[in-house]
Amino acid sequence: MPGWNEGEGHEIERFIDDLVTQAGGSISAEHGIGQMKRGELERLAGPGDLAALRAIKQALDPAGIMNPGKLL
């Protein structure tokens, strides 16, 4: 159904992400977090986790040339 994800899809994803993290799970996959989930990661991850991810990105890519604008 066109437009579903822009409507109730976001509410359903948020609900599922909350359940997953409450159960100790993670919303990321084996290749990291996608652009569509970046806001959810920032909402659900602790500030220390985000700081660690940014520090790793900075250490591996100080010039910011690999996947510019991506968290990791």
Side-chain angles (χ1 to χ4, degrees):
M1 171 179 286
W4 178 85
N5 195 45
E6 290 75 23
E8 62 257 355
H10 286 297
E11 290 179 41
I12 293 169
E13 285 178 23
R14 187 178 177 104
F15 176 76
I16 291 170
D17 291 344
D18 287 342
L19 289 176
V20 167
T21 56
Q22 288 170 9
S26 170
I27 63 167
S28 68
E30 62 187 58
H31 295 288
I33 199 79
Q35 287 296 100
M36 291 179 68
K37 292 279 189 178
R38 187 171 179 165
E40 280 293 270
L41 177 66
E42 291 173 353
R43 181 177 76 85
L44 296 169
D49 294 334
L50 293 174
L53 289 172
R54 289 185 179 109
I56 293 168
K57 168 75 171 168
Q58 178 62 32
L60 296 175
D61 183 22
I65 59 173
M66 297 187 294
N67 278 341
K70 306 301 187 288
L71 184 60
L72 184 64

